[in-house]
Amino acid sequence: MDNVWLARMLFGSSLAFHIIFATLGVGLTFMILIAEIMRAIKKDQDYGILAKRWTKAVAILLGVAIPSGTIVGVMLSLLWPGFIEIVGQVIALPFTLEIFAFFLEALFLSIYVYAADRLSSTMRIISVFFVALGAVASAVLITNAQAWMNTPTGFDVSGGEIVNVRPWEAVMNPAFGYTAVHVASSAYMATAFVVASVAAYKLLKANLSNRNTEYYRKGLMIALIFGAVTSLWTAVNGHSAAVGLYDNVPVKLAAAEGLFETQDNAPLAIFGTPDPEANRVVGGIEIPGMLSWLATGSTEGVVKGLNDYPRDEWPPLFVHTLFNIMVGIGTLLIAVSFGAIAYRIFFKKGYPQWLLVLLVGSGPLAMLGIETGWIFACVGRQPWTIIGFQRTADAATQSGNLGFFFTLFVSLYIFLLVLTALVMRTYFKRNPLSKEFEMKSSV
């Protein structure tokens, strides 16, 4: 296996590991904010307990997110020196601003955690608001570099040298708006379903043992409402992102849909396998005109196909499968969340076991959607690191022994995943919910 593939695998596995903790860190802080607001409105300490226990989970997750994020940053420098040389000249600004976003998050998280009992409800809400703001700002600013890699702006090239750098133009590149919103909404959505998954699991156990389930129902309802809103928001913004691909990176859209020939009334291909020999998606379901309508607002709109580009500039065709998985999971989660809320409203009773089992599976599915979405975003840009400007092969390190380090770091990530799960389980087992209820009743 060549050096470029090994560098991509090592960096990709590191990013895939980090994105789990980064996503949950962004989403949980906002859910803590919701719980604090509900506590202030309803004067119900159950929501305060939710906020407190979710905060403990955030603290554990940050213990892995911070070092794993540092590893990603170091690997970016070591594995992609050609890319970093350009980043330092053109798109360093969002990385600098991200430091201040992280400081904002850390500062107010410290205030919220250590001074919570001495703060009024209003000040608690304000504190956790800035925690949530810092978390999402950090994610958006880091994502800005990825958006710029798809639509590089803010610089000129003269004699092979970068000149006339315009940092703010680079930051406000054409892909930034829809990419930033999609990252934020998908992080909120995935976290909501992870929380729903845990709450549903607890309700299943509580139902089997006939324990009081009101606390878990409140947590589940917050997660379901938040998940329904954010999954719908993600779908709407996902459409905007697809339109952005049509405008800015049409070859990536063509690969995502397995479209080989430029045409109007272009079909939307669901499932199947793109076959360049047959010039179509084999074994898929095609909806005539739907891709043209989604991309241009009209079935008469012309969508460029892969055959309009040199073969060596095609993204890997398996991105079609990644795209289908991502969209399919998002669609399923919309149906699950709205269906569960409707069941609760219309039947006005507890959730049946079959629905709880379905909700338990929603969390892992949501995280799978996050992973496939990020892989699609990065792999769909290939063979470019910076589209139209720098190829991935030109950005990669020439150092050896990457196979050894890939094995080493993947083993480390598996170990850390297991360790994090054990720490989380041990902490909450030693600090059971019954203790929180005892403290609540004594207040």
Side-chain angles (χ1 to χ4, degrees):
M1 189 174 294
D2 66 30
N3 228 46
V4 176
W5 268 103
L6 286 170
R8 288 177 60 192
M9 289 169 61
L10 179 52
F11 186 74
S13 60
S14 300
L15 184 59
F17 176 76
H18 174 67
I19 207 68
I20 296 171
F21 300 93
T23 295
L24 294 174
V26 170
L28 268 178
T29 53
F30 199 93
M31 292 196 68
I32 294 166
L33 176 61
I34 294 173
E36 284 289 357
I37 292 172
M38 292 296 293
R39 177 194 188 192
I41 293 173
K42 290 183 169 287
K43 310 299 181 186
D44 186 341
Q45 287 302 315
D46 280 356
Y47 294 106
I49 295 173
L50 282 169
K52 182 178 179 180
R53 292 176 76 81
W54 288 343
T55 301
K56 300 300 184 184
V58 166
I60 295 170
L61 293 170
L62 280 177
V64 183
I66 293 171
S68 65
T70 303
I71 290 173
V72 169
V74 171
M75 283 192 175
L76 189 63
S77 300
L78 297 179
L79 296 176
W80 308 105
F83 172 66
I84 287 298
E85 182 179 352
I86 298 172
V87 166
Q89 297 179 70
V90 183
I91 196 70
L93 182 58
F95 290 97
T96 304
L97 294 175
E98 192 271 339
I99 296 172
F100 293 96
F102 179 74
F103 282 166
L104 180 71
E105 178 186 4
L107 173 63
F108 280 93
L109 183 61
S110 298
I111 293 172
Y112 178 70
V113 170
Y114 293 108
D117 294 339
R118 286 166 282 180
L119 295 175
S120 65
S121 291
T122 301
M123 292 307 297
R124 288 166 68 96
I125 290 170
I126 291 173
S127 295
V128 77
F129 167 79
F130 282 111
V131 175
L133 178 63
V136 73
S138 181
V140 165
L141 287 165
I142 290 297
T143 304
N144 180 258
Q146 194 272 338
W148 177 82
M149 291 158 72
N150 285 292
T151 54
T153 55
F155 68 102
D156 299 317
V157 179
S158 177
E161 299 292 328
I162 292 176
V163 297
N164 192 25
V165 174
R166 303 174 297 281
W168 281 108
E169 183 181 325
V171 169
M172 302 307 296
N173 62 82
F176 176 48
Y178 58 79
T179 301
V181 174
H182 197 64
V183 164
S185 65
S186 59
Y188 291 147
M189 177 193 74
T191 304
F193 285 103
V194 168
V195 172
S197 180
V198 173
Y201 173 74
K202 292 293 187 179
L203 278 172
L204 272 174
K205 291 183 66 177
N207 286 343
L208 291 173
S209 59
N210 296 317
R211 291 205 305 267
N212 184 5
T213 60
E214 192 59 31
Y215 168 84
Y216 294 119
R217 287 181 184 175
K218 290 172 184 175
L220 179 57
M221 185 52 70
I222 288 177
L224 285 175
I225 294 174
F226 190 45
V229 171
T230 53
S231 59
L232 197 58
W233 179 27
T234 301
V236 171
N237 180 255
H239 169 65
S240 299
V243 173
L245 289 182
Y246 172 80
D247 292 333
N248 302 310
V249 199
V251 66
K252 191 173 182 178
L253 179 64
E257 290 298 336
L259 185 72
F260 291 92
E261 297 294 339
T262 298
Q263 56 189 284
D264 59 5
N265 201 41
L268 182 72
I270 304 173
F271 307 123
T273 304
D275 185 346
E277 302 303 323
N279 256 10
R280 64 185 181 87
V281 174
V282 177
I285 302 170
E286 291 191 348
I287 306 176
M290 182 60 70
L291 179 58
S292 289
W293 182 77
L294 289 172
T296 69
S298 168
T299 56
E300 302 303 316
V302 176
V303 181
K304 293 182 75 172
L306 288 167
N307 290 335
D308 276 18
Y309 301 89
R311 191 70 169 263
D312 66 351
E313 293 185 8
W314 288 13
L317 296 183
F318 66 80
V319 298
H320 172 72
T321 301
L322 293 172
F323 188 74
N324 273 271
I325 292 172
M326 177 182 65
V327 173
I329 288 175
T331 303
L332 178 62
L333 293 179
I334 291 173
V336 167
S337 56
F338 278 97
I341 292 169
Y343 186 96
R344 187 80 171 93
I345 291 173
F346 290 112
F347 290 94
K348 299 184 183 301
K349 58 182 181 181
Y351 304 94
Q353 286 198 11
W354 65 266
L355 182 54
L356 291 175
V357 170
L358 190 61
L359 289 171
V360 168
S362 68
L365 272 180
M367 293 309 300
L368 177 61
I370 288 288
E371 295 287 4
T372 53
W374 270 104
I375 296 171
F376 169 75
C378 296
V379 174
R381 189 178 55 249
Q382 298 304 314
W384 302 97
T385 300
I386 304 170
I387 288 183
F389 183 72
Q390 183 187 62
R391 285 182 177 263
T392 304
D394 297 326
T397 180
Q398 298 303 311
S399 299
N401 296 320
L402 294 185
F404 168 75
F405 286 107
F406 172 72
T407 304
L408 178 66
F409 275 95
V410 168
S411 301
L412 174 64
Y413 297 145
I414 293 171
F415 170 74
L416 286 176
L417 276 174
V418 173
L419 182 62
T420 304
L422 288 174
V423 170
M424 194 84 73
R425 182 177 182 274
T426 301
Y427 175 82
F428 287 109
K429 191 172 183 179
R430 291 183 178 178
N431 297 272
L433 193 57
S434 57
K435 283 188 178 180
E436 305 286 356
F437 286 135
E438 288 173 9
M439 293 174 62
K440 169 186 168 184
S441 61
S442 63
V443 173

